[in-house]
Amino acid sequence: MELPFWVQAFLIFVQVAAVVVFIWLIWPLVKNEEWKKKFIDNKQALSILIVFVLVFVFVYGMTAVFNWLYPVELVY
């Protein structure tokens, strides 16, 4: 069952508004940080970031492969 268009539009608006408010709230904190010293120069933090990105790419890739191999069959 599909939602009415106005409900879908409202939910999208709420999500976009939440992202804007989140960025507005954290921007002063982000602007004042020394990111290079904290994450790039720190070898342990850099390795954790690399592993996080690799895990994300692996999960995304596995999802794409399984969606390609075993697509969802809609039965009406």
Side-chain angles (χ1 to χ4, degrees):
M1 180 174 166
E2 288 191 22
L3 293 174
F5 175 75
W6 68 272
V7 174
Q8 290 180 359
F10 177 72
L11 291 175
I12 292 170
F13 172 75
V14 168
Q15 291 173 356
V16 170
V19 168
V20 169
V21 169
F22 177 73
I23 291 173
W24 178 68
L25 288 174
I26 68 164
W27 184 250
L29 299 172
V30 170
K31 190 171 63 171
N32 293 332
E33 288 290 333
E34 297 178 7
W35 294 101
K36 185 173 187 296
K37 185 175 90 174
K38 194 175 229 179
F39 290 107
I40 305 303
D41 295 339
N42 184 351
K43 298 301 179 192
Q44 186 176 7
L46 181 62
S47 64
I48 290 173
L49 284 174
I50 290 170
V51 168
F52 174 75
V53 169
L54 288 175
V55 167
F56 179 76
V57 168
F58 177 75
V59 169
Y60 187 77
M62 289 299 293
T63 303
V65 166
F66 276 100
N67 283 336
W68 177 63
L69 290 175
Y70 307 106
V72 175
E73 297 179 10
L74 299 176
V75 179
Y76 293 103

